[in-house]
Amino acid sequence: MPLDVTTLETLRDHHPAWRLLRSEHAPLVASFLHRVFIAPNVRVMAAADLAAALEDTLYALRQQRDDPQAFPRPARAYLDDWAGPDKGWLRKFYRTGSDEALFDLTPATEQAIAWLGRLEARRFVGTESRLLTLFDLLRQMHEGSETDPTVHLAELRRKRDALDAEIEQVRQGELPLLDETALRERFQQFSQLARELLNDFREVEHNLRQLDRKVRERITLWDGGKGELLEEIMGERDAIHDSDQGRSFRAFWDLLMSSRRQQELGRLLEQVLALPAIAELEPDARLRRVHYDWLEAGEHTQRTVAQLSQQLRRFLDDQAWLENRRIMDILRGIETQALALRETPPTGTLMQLEAMAPSINLPFERPLYSPPLQPRFDDPLPEDEIAAPDPAALFSQVVVDKGRLERHIRRMLHGRDQISLRELIETQPLRQGLAELTAYLQLGCETFTTVLDEHATDPIAWEVTDAAGQHHRRVAQVPRLIFVP
C-alpha cells in the first residue's frame, strides 16, 4: 500500500482502527475491549453480559474521577454506538433462531489495540533470533522451489554432515547450549507470534464473511436459470476453499488437530516455562495453554465457515425456492434497490408518512361468546375390544448414569492432554446404546471442554437385543469429538 497523502487521508477518514485512535474515548474503548475480549480470548459475548461489564467499568471510572456526570449514556447505548457503521469497532449480530444480540471484535479494532500494546518501551529487544528466522524462511523458499534433484541431494548431504558433526560433538561432551540472553530473545519472539496468531483468526473470519457477502450479492442480482446459479455458487465456494487463505487455514488446522503435535506443544511449553531465564521475564500465564486457545479460536472459525455453507444450502433449497418464489422476487427487488443506493444514498426527503391516527373498535363489533361443542358418544366400545394395559412398559425406561460417564472421562483425561469419544467408548463399551452415546455428547457440551472436528468422523458401535433375544450390532458415524482438560 502506498503511503501517500491521499491514501493516508482516506484511511484516516474511513478506517475503523484510525477512527478508534482518534476517538475522544479511545482509552476507555481500547482498555475495556482488551480486558473482556482479547486478554481472556473470548470470541463472542452476549449483549447483556457485555453491557453489565461495561456498566461496572463506567461506574468505577465515575467513582475514580469523582464526577457522576462522566460517561452519562447507558452501557447499551455505548455498545450500539461502537457497533454502528460510523465506528465499526464491534460486530453486532444475531444467531439463527435467537433474538439475543451478540458482539464480537472487528479485525480493525484488534489491530489498533495490538499497535497500542507495542508502544510501551521494551526492556529487551532481540534481533539475532529474528535474523535466524529470516534465514530459515529464505532457505525454505529456496529449497521448496528448487527443481534440480542434484541440488536437493547436495543440500540433504550437507545437512547430514552437519548432524553427524553435531552428534560427534555431543559424544565428546561439548553441548551447544543457549545462554540466557538467547533464551529470552527467542521466548519474546514466540510470545509475540503466538498472540499475533490468535489475532489473525478474526481477520480470517472477516475475510470469509466478505467473500460470502459477495456470493449473496451475486445471488441477489442473478436473473438467469437456477442451474447456472448453482454452478456459479459452487465455483465461488470452491474458490473460497482453494484460495491462499483457505488452503493455509486448512493446513494449519490439520497440523493443530494432530494429537502428537498437541502433546509435543504442551511438553515443550512446560519445559521452556520452567527455565529460570524465562521465569525471570514473568510471562503471561495464558501462554501455558496457548495451544488450547488456538484450538478454540480455530474451532470458532470452522463453525463460522460451516454456518455460511449451511445458510447457502438453505437459501438454495428446492422446496423453499418453489414455495417462496413470490416472496423472494419481492425481497430481491428491495435488495437490488438497496445495493444500487448503497454508494449514492438519496438526498432530501426519502419518504413521507401520513399522520398517525388511532384505530377505533366499537364494542358491538366484537362477536359474542359461543360455547364450544362437546361431542357425546352414545355407543361404548365392547368389553372384548378393550385390551388390558401392559404395566411392563412403565418399567422398561432407560436411565443413563451420567455420573459414571463423567468419572470415566475424568479418569481417562488424568495425565493426558486429550482423548477422543471413540477412545472413551473403546475402553468402556456402551451398555445402553444410543441413549448412553447421547449422554456422552451432552456431557461434552455442558460439563467438559471439547473440540469438534467436523471434517473427520468416527464409527461408534454397540450391541442391541431384540424381543426374541437375538443380538444385533449398530454403528453410528459421529463427527470426531475430542475432550481436553
Side-chain angles (χ1 to χ4, degrees), residues 360-368:
I360 301 175
N361 296 322
L362 298 178
F364 289 100
E365 292 181 349
R366 302 178 180 178
L368 297 177

Side-chain angles (χ1 to χ4, degrees), residues 225-371:
K226 188 180 178 184
E228 299 174 357
L229 175 60
L230 286 172
E231 183 179 358
E232 186 79 13
I233 292 175
M234 292 302 105
E236 190 73 22
R237 186 176 182 273
D238 292 339
I240 293 174
H241 283 273
D242 295 337
S243 62
D244 291 341
Q245 187 162 246
R247 288 198 299 266
S248 177
F249 179 75
R250 288 202 309 272
F252 163 79
W253 183 250
D254 293 340
L255 185 65
L256 191 60
M257 287 302 296
S258 170
S259 60
R260 182 178 60 83
R261 290 285 187 176
Q262 291 184 29
Q263 293 174 2
E264 183 181 4
L265 268 174
R267 176 175 54 81
L268 291 175
L269 281 172
E270 292 289 341
Q271 294 175 354
V272 169
L273 292 174
L275 296 174
I278 304 302
E280 293 177 358
L281 297 176
E282 299 179 358
D284 187 359
R286 292 195 64 86
L287 282 176
R288 195 177 299 273
R289 292 177 52 86
V290 68
H291 49 303
Y292 294 123
D293 290 342
W294 292 340
L295 279 172
E296 292 178 7
E299 183 183 4
H300 190 272
T301 305
Q302 289 278 49
R303 292 189 181 277
T304 299
V305 176
Q307 289 174 2
L308 295 178
S309 301
Q310 183 180 4
Q311 290 171 4
L312 281 178
R313 288 196 300 268
R314 188 183 301 116
F315 186 83
L316 296 171
D317 184 77
D318 291 335
Q319 185 176 0
W321 182 277
L322 295 175
E323 294 177 353
N324 302 324
R325 183 62 181 268
R326 176 58 182 163
I327 299 175
M328 295 300 298
D329 290 340
I330 296 174
L331 291 177
R332 184 173 303 162
I334 297 173
E335 292 175 348
T336 303
Q337 294 294 329
L339 290 174
L341 297 175
R342 182 176 60 182
E343 302 297 336
T344 57
T347 58
T349 303
L350 179 63
M351 181 183 297
Q352 291 183 351
L353 297 176
E354 299 294 335
M356 305 298 293
S359 59
I360 301 175
N361 296 322
L362 298 178
F364 289 100
E365 292 181 349
R366 302 178 180 178
L368 297 177
Y369 171 74
S370 298

Side-chain angles (χ1 to χ4, degrees), residues 18 38 109 160 202 208 238 258 263 288 400 469:
W18 203 319
I38 297 179
T109 305
R160 183 188 61 187
R202 279 194 175 92
L208 291 174
D238 292 339
S258 170
Q263 293 174 2
R288 195 177 299 273
V400 179

Side-chain angles (χ1 to χ4, degrees), residues 110-127:
E110 196 158 12
Q111 290 175 2
I113 296 175
W115 182 80
L116 290 174
R118 290 194 292 268
L119 290 181
E120 183 182 5
R122 290 176 290 178
R123 295 179 299 176
F124 171 71
V125 179
T127 55

Side-chain angles (χ1 to χ4, degrees), residues 66-137:
D66 196 16
D67 183 6
Q69 299 302 321
F71 307 106
R73 301 170 63 188
R76 281 292 185 101
Y78 282 113
L79 294 178
D80 291 337
D81 182 43
W82 298 349
D86 58 330
K87 299 291 193 304
W89 304 333
L90 288 173
R91 185 175 71 94
K92 183 179 180 180
F93 63 99
Y94 295 86
R95 285 202 177 109
T96 304
S98 174
D99 58 352
E100 182 181 13
L102 301 174
F103 285 94
D104 189 11
L105 282 185
T106 60
T109 305
E110 196 158 12
Q111 290 175 2
I113 296 175
W115 182 80
L116 290 174
R118 290 194 292 268
L119 290 181
E120 183 182 5
R122 290 176 290 178
R123 295 179 299 176
F124 171 71
V125 179
T127 55
E128 180 199 1
S129 61
R130 297 187 181 185
L131 181 61
L132 293 176
T133 303
L134 294 177
F135 271 109
D136 289 339
L137 291 175

